[in-house]
């Protein structure tokens, strides 16, 4: 199984020079969805131009995509709570109502790695 995490923020890149935060995000998502850390792909986009709720104040959009069998109400709720807490603690200038988190499912035959679908890849391992 694999998952992707896409984090977008309008905060500057300098705020994320410490790779420990990235490793922590990967570890948290890995544990909440039961995916090996090596199979979690994190992309981090900073310095975005956002306008939300009538302002350009600091904000985050976090998108997680994982296999349907891993995306259930309990794991999604825990992941949202944990990621919201981490953003609030690490970036107090970001109000909690400016952290949007979306969790999506991907079917194993609709995603791929190494030139094959995820289903094929899993079967080959």
């Amino acid at each position: 199984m694999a998952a992707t995490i896409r984090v977008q923020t309008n905060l500057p890149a300098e705020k994320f020079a410490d790779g420990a935060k990235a490793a922590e995000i990967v570890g948290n998502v890995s544990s909440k969805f039961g995916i090996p850390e090596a199979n979690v792909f994190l992309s981090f986009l900073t310095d975005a131009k956002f306008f939300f709720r009538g302002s350009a104040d600091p904000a985050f959009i976090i998108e997680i995509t994982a296999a349907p069998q891993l995306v259930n109400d309990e794991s999604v709720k825990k992941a949202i709570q944990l990621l919201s807490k981490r953003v609030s603690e690490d970036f107090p200038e970001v109000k909690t109502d400016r952290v949007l988190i979306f969790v999506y499912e991907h079917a194993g035959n609709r995603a791929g790695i190494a030139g094959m679908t995820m289903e094929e890849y899993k079967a080959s391992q």
Side-chain angles (χ1 to χ4, degrees), residues 102-125:
F102 298 92
V103 180
Y104 306 105
E105 299 176 0
H106 72 75
N109 63 344
R110 299 284 189 260
I113 187 169
M116 58 187 88
T117 68
M118 291 285 188
E119 286 178 350
E120 293 168 329
Y121 185 79
K122 182 179 176 187
S124 74
Q125 297 301 301

Side-chain angles (χ1 to χ4, degrees), residues 28-83:
N28 288 334
V29 169
S30 169
S31 69
K32 296 304 173 227
F33 289 97
I35 303 167
E37 286 188 29
N39 294 351
V40 178
F41 186 95
L42 171 65
S43 65
F44 220 90
L45 308 169
T46 60
D47 298 300
K49 302 296 182 205
F50 286 161
F51 190 76
F52 177 62
R53 295 190 168 210
S55 81
D57 290 347
F60 276 79
I61 298 173
I62 303 170
E63 298 174 303
I64 301 168
T65 306
Q69 62 269 33
L70 303 177
V71 178
N72 59 61
D73 291 347
E74 183 180 333
S75 65
V76 169
K77 184 176 180 174
K78 286 180 181 178
I80 288 172
Q81 290 171 340
L82 181 64
L83 291 170

